[in-house]
Amino acid sequence: MDARPFRSVLYIPGSKERALEKARGLAADAIIFDLEDAVAPDEKANARTLLARTLAEADYGRRAKLVRINALSTGWGADDLEVISEARPEAVLLPKVDGPADIEALARLLDARPETAETRIWAMMESPKGVLDAAAIAAAPRMAGFVLGTNDLAKDLGCRVGPGRAALQCALQTCLLAARAEGIVAVDGVYNAFRDEDGLRAECVEGRDLGFDGKTLIHPAQIDIANEVFAPEAGEVDLARRQIAAHQEATARGEGVAVVDGKIVENLHVETAQRLLARAAAIAELQGAG
Ligand code: COA
Ligand code: MG
């Protein structure tokens, strides 16, 4: 897995010209251009042409760009892919994934076009069947990431989601395990109350501590909090540097273990520290690139 940041992953309805325009100047690490649930049925056709044109013309910088198409079973999905392919999307996000067969079907369509030879697949993990098959989905062809669809999951589970999301923990952690087993990205679900900063921050901290790379967002006002919570803190960067240095000195003395701030540092801690520094450097680079 590389260190590319996915702290803040903003959904933009593919039908909203103003939001598409605005997103070029927002500090989100990644954008999901949505043709699925944020677009009403009678807007689908216009949205896909607007989006294809926007992606071909507009400069979204170095941030990751994902296009969420409609499910291939809907009748819209194949048309979405047809029109969007012209813009050579770096990634297609497939909703309502129930198993690896859904990914394989999309991969075959991508294989069939030269424009999408390099396009990766991301899966919305948002159905009970999908969660139960998460390991096989993560291992399917072209897979690069999971996005948790927590609203759909809560609907299908019939659960009540409160602070701490106890009812969703099994699904969240199952998906995270599957993503990590295959070395793909895992991004947490959205926080619906987009004006509630404290609630968003608490849920970002929860997702970060579970191991997610970032959070999907529905409104620009949510970006700064996600970017802050999912970035390594200054103290963590400092500790990582000291751990690496101390371990190098220990190794030079012929010892395998160092001690920093009263805690042992072994090879595995050095790997974690190196990953953290790589993540911090990638964030600084993305922000510097604007
Ligand atoms: N991406 C980019 N820009 C966005 C945006 C988004 N997701 N949501 C809002 N904006 C822009 C608006 O265009 C507006 O721009 P302007 O003032 O410069 O013209 C500005 O941010 C402020 O918007 P605001 O008036 O506070 O929000 P709203 O009432 O227009 O819209 C939502 C609120 C929730 C309807 C809207 O944020 C939205 O559609 N979010 C995405 C929903 C979605 O994608 N759902 C599917 C996945 S769960
Ligand atoms: Mg959904």
Side-chain angles (χ1 to χ4, degrees), residues 5-10 12 21-31 60 62-64 215 217 219-228 283 286-290:
F6 284 94
R7 298 168 300 168
S8 49
V9 180
L10 179 67
I12 302 186
E21 165 75 28
K22 193 177 173 77
R24 292 161 53 189
L26 296 173
D29 286 348
I31 297 174
Y60 286 92
R62 293 178 49 195
R63 54 175 73 83
K215 195 152 181 71
L217 310 174
H219 192 279
Q222 299 183 306
I223 294 172
D224 287 349
I225 290 176
N227 280 350
E228 182 195 324
I283 289 167
L286 184 67
Q287 280 168 348

Side-chain angles (χ1 to χ4, degrees), residues 11 36-37 68 95-96 124 126 149-152:
Y11 282 102
E36 200 220 12
D37 282 353
R68 183 164 78 167
K96 314 277 186 322
M124 291 297 304
E126 55 185 348
T150 39
N151 282 326
D152 271 296

